[in-house]
């Protein structure tokens, strides 16, 4: 019996898929089809798959060509499967020509001509249209955002807004955008959704104006600087039937999702302590270290460090205490926040003027998880036990600047085909705003220790 194997996502099953399976079956007597999991698709950079794994399997089953359907969930699996199932022919479409030649040492490799003018990507665009996105701001993060959008199908950057016309124009020229504005209302007119990457204190105003105009919003962290503001923004989004998402990239990254899954499985017992540290040395003249009202290490970086804390222990804490080193303007160059929960304790360390190891440490009654620096771009973590022989290390990809994952979920949410809000819930975002509000209030009342003491 001649055995054939092929692989794919088979999203929004179409004629190209049907024809490929038909011809694959004709290459032998028995056809095995490998269908990718969503996690593996995210790993290999294929974002925005619409149909669930079960739906995709069902569509393949209905063709009647597959004698067996298997799941593909990791890199290197193809060679394993070929040996395991004693495969004679490996086949895929001609868009992959050459890529799988390395499998020729195991079996015959056939590239079947791809059916013209049809693909899942095209169907996704047709079904949902292309979301026209506008960017607010032209700073560092906005610059990093634009190239990431290209990795997500169904969304296109139309324009940029900046209060200074020249800045908007420069940005548009750099990224070959067709439109640039210094008038916010005009900017909103030609778009469906907005990405807000302006200074923290302007997030709320821009978000509200965009939502009022019925635009979906992806807002950089911290979305709001007080609990009330954050709640008001979500309430407005709900009323306007718009998507509102806080852009904390780690929350949407596959590695971080895997970490949470592993942790929740109970492998390290009951979790007692979480320590999260994020430091990034900043130019003392930068806005982050000169804006006495909203700058500083905590407001800048706590959205990251609070994320694992709230994911693990939740929103209801018993007490919170801050400790900072501040510069002459009273801006914290380093802040430790101690959070006490009924059954756990947590520390957030953030620094713009103090450098430390950017790791995440989760301690439990049976062992601990150490997430390697930079943990917020989660790529690897290790479960460690008393008996080091049982230690286990996990690896995941964090592609590019990692913004593509949140952009992909933003597109999914707008198209309404999947509710991925569990990755960062509204109440988790509100928790972060509440903690920032507490911190800012405390800082106003007490400028703390002066950096002269440590900088000499
Ligand atoms: N395929 C094909 N002809 C098409 C589209 C896909 O022969 N018009 C083949 C691919 O080459 C692959 C299999 O179908 O062997 C599954 O491909 P998949 O990547 O799931 O489909 P695409 O439509 O290419 O998906 P996307 O647009 O998301 O890349």
């Amino acid at each position: 019996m001649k055995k054939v194997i092929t692989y794919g996502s088979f999203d929004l099953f179409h004629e190209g898929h049907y024809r490929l399976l038909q011809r694959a079956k004709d290459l032998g007597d028995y056809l095995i089809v490998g269908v990718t999991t969503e996690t593996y698709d995210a790993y290999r950079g294929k974002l925005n798959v619409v149909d669930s794994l079960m739906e995709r399997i069902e569509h393949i089953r209905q063709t009647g060509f597959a004698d067996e359907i298997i799941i593909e969930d990791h890199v290197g699996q193809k060679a394993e499967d070929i040996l395991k199932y004693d495969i004679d022919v490996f086949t895929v479409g001609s868009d992959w020509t050459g890529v799988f030649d390395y499998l020729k040492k195991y079996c015959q490799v056939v590239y079947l001509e791809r059916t013209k003018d049809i693909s899942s990507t095209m169907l996704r665009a047709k079904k949902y249209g292309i979301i026209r996105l506008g960017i607010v701001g032209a700073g560092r993060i906005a610059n990093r955002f634009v190239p990431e959008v290209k990795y997500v199908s169904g969304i296109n950057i139309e324009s940029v807004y900046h209060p200074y016309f020249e800045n908007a124009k420069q940005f548009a020229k750099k990224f070959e955008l067709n439109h640039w504005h210094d008038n916010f209302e005009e900017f909103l007119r030609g778009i469906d959704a907005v990405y807000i990457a302006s200074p923290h204190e302007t997030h709320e105003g821009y978000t509200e104006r965009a939502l009022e105009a019925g635009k979906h919003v992806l807002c950089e962290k911290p979305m709001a600087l007080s609990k009330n503001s954050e709640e008001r923004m979500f309430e407005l989004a709900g009323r306007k039937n718009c998507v509102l998402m806080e852009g904390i990239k780690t929350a949407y990254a596959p590695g971080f999702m895997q970490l949470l899954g592993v942790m929740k499985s109970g492998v390290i017992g009951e979790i007692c302590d979480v320590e999260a540290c994020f430091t990034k040395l900043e130019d003392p003249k930068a806005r982050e270290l000169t804006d006495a009202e909203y700058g500083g290490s905590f407001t800048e970086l706590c959205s990251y460090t609070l994320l694992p804390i709230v994911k693990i222990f939740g929103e209801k804490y018993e007490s919170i205490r801050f400790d900072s080193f501040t510069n002459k303007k009273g801006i914290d160059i380093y802040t430790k926040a101690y959070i006490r929960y009924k059954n756990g304790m947590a520390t957030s360390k953030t620094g713009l003027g103090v450098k430390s190891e950017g790791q995440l440490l989760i301690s439990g009654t049976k062992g601990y998880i150490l997430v390697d620096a930079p943990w917020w771009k989660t790529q690897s973590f290790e479960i460690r036990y008393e008996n080091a022989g049982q230690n286990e290390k996990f690896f995941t990809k964090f592609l590019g600047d990692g913004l593509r994952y949140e952009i992909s979920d933003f597109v999914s949410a707008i198209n309404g085909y999947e509710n991925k809000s569990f990755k960062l819930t509204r109440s988790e975002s509100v928790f972060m705003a509440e903690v920032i509000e507490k911190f800012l209030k405390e800082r106003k009342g007490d400028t703390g220790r002066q950096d002269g003491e440590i900088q000499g």
Side-chain angles (χ1 to χ4, degrees), residues 392-434:
E392 204 180 346
K393 191 133 190 170
F394 292 78
F395 297 90
T396 329
K397 265 192 198 161
F398 183 90
L399 297 169
D401 273 315
L403 293 159
R404 62 193 69 177
Y405 305 113
E406 68 184 42
I407 300 167
S408 161
D409 280 11
F410 185 53
V411 171
S412 300
I414 292 173
N415 292 335
Y417 52 71
E418 206 166 335
N419 177 12
K420 287 179 178 159
S421 64
F422 67 89
K423 292 186 184 170
L424 184 65
T425 66
R426 171 183 168 154
S427 56
E428 287 163 351
S429 276
V430 171
F431 161 87
M432 294 189 195
E434 185 190 325

Side-chain angles (χ1 to χ4, degrees), residues 76-199:
Q77 186 182 323
K78 291 185 178 75
E80 288 167 21
D81 288 343
I82 289 169
L83 297 172
K84 181 171 156 189
Y85 296 103
D86 197 15
I87 297 296
D88 301 290
V89 183
F90 168 92
T91 186
V92 276
S94 52
D95 45 327
W96 295 99
T97 300
V99 177
F100 295 108
D101 284 358
Y102 71 94
L103 295 172
K104 281 182 181 165
K105 57 177 172 282
Y106 305 106
C107 67
Q108 193 190 345
V109 174
V110 177
Y111 298 103
L112 291 168
E113 200 181 327
R114 194 178 155 89
T115 307
K116 289 204 170 41
D117 300 327
I118 181 104
S119 73
S120 305
T121 307
M122 274 171 59
L123 291 180
R124 282 191 287 263
K126 212 162 153 190
K127 188 163 179 187
Y128 301 107
I130 302 281
I131 297 161
R132 298 167 305 162
L133 183 80
I135 298 187
V136 176
R140 251 179 305 168
I141 182 75
N143 271 272
R144 263 188 270 152
F145 185 86
V146 180
E148 289 282 312
V149 173
K150 299 203 167 67
Y151 293 95
V152 183
S153 55
I155 187 162
N156 188 42
I157 303 178
E158 284 289 312
S159 57
V160 58
Y161 163 84
H162 194 283
Y164 300 114
F165 189 75
E166 233 359 85
N167 292 26
K169 190 174 163 185
Q170 294 283 325
F171 188 88
K173 286 256 143 30
K174 179 172 174 188
F175 292 109
E176 297 175 350
L177 307 181
N178 291 330
H179 307 281
W180 54 92
H181 301 271
D182 60 357
N183 177 312
F184 197 66
E185 267 57 47
E186 248 172 50
F187 159 75
L188 289 178
R189 237 167 265 149
I191 53 179
D192 311 302
V194 178
Y195 169 62
I196 297 174
S198 53

Side-chain angles (χ1 to χ4, degrees), residues 114-356:
R114 194 178 155 89
T115 307
K116 289 204 170 41
D117 300 327
I118 181 104
S119 73
S120 305
T121 307
M122 274 171 59
L123 291 180
R124 282 191 287 263
K126 212 162 153 190
K127 188 163 179 187
Y128 301 107
I130 302 281
I131 297 161
R132 298 167 305 162
L133 183 80
I135 298 187
V136 176
R140 251 179 305 168
I141 182 75
N143 271 272
R144 263 188 270 152
F145 185 86
V146 180
E148 289 282 312
V149 173
K150 299 203 167 67
Y151 293 95
V152 183
S153 55
I155 187 162
N156 188 42
I157 303 178
E158 284 289 312
S159 57
V160 58
Y161 163 84
H162 194 283
Y164 300 114
F165 189 75
E166 233 359 85
N167 292 26
K169 190 174 163 185
Q170 294 283 325
F171 188 88
K173 286 256 143 30
K174 179 172 174 188
F175 292 109
E176 297 175 350
L177 307 181
N178 291 330
H179 307 281
W180 54 92
H181 301 271
D182 60 357
N183 177 312
F184 197 66
E185 267 57 47
E186 248 172 50
F187 159 75
L188 289 178
R189 237 167 265 149
I191 53 179
D192 311 302
V194 178
Y195 169 62
I196 297 174
S198 53
H200 304 335
E201 67 279 16
T202 62
H203 288 174
E204 188 183 347
Y206 286 134
T207 299
E208 286 189 347
R209 286 163 74 187
L211 289 172
E212 282 291 359
K215 313 295 173 189
H216 305 288
V217 176
L218 172 61
C219 182
E220 257 311 314
K221 53 170 180 44
M223 197 159 90
L225 301 170
S226 76
K227 186 181 176 194
N228 277 347
S229 301
E230 186 98 12
E231 282 177 337
R232 228 188 8 250
M233 287 152 87
F234 276 117
E235 189 272 324
L236 177 60
R239 203 156 23 93
K240 289 286 178 180
N241 216 3
C242 288
V243 172
L244 172 61
M245 254 176 68
E246 184 169 12
I248 303 176
K249 64 173 184 277
T250 312
Y252 306 93
F256 189 71
M257 295 301 296
Q258 189 189 20
L259 167 72
L260 293 179
V262 168
M263 188 209 63
K264 283 187 178 142
S265 72
V267 281
I268 59 164
E270 279 180 32
I271 295 162
C272 302
D273 191 21
V274 177
E275 294 173 81
C277 176
F278 191 152
T279 65
K280 183 174 78 176
L281 286 185
E282 199 55 80
D283 176 359
K285 294 190 200 75
R287 173 194 60 80
E288 290 86 346
L289 285 172
T290 50
D291 178 352
E293 190 102 18
Y294 304 107
S297 59
F298 194 70
T299 42
E300 197 59 33
L301 302 172
C302 75
S303 305
Y304 291 113
T305 51
L306 293 176
L307 177 69
I309 296 174
V310 70
K311 282 281 175 200
I312 293 169
F313 291 133
E315 296 89 359
K316 284 203 176 69
Y317 56 91
E318 288 184 337
S319 63
I320 186 161
R321 191 160 58 84
F322 303 102
D323 208 352
S324 301
F325 283 125
T326 56
N327 65 16
K328 297 203 169 62
K329 290 191 153 198
I331 301 165
D332 60 309
I333 59 165
Y334 185 64
T335 290
K336 259 189 184 181
Y338 306 93
I339 311 179
R340 188 69 169 93
Y341 288 84
K342 190 157 173 264
N343 296 315
M345 53 179 86
T347 316
S348 142
K349 295 202 285 182
T350 49
L352 294 175
V354 171
K355 192 68 196 161
S356 186

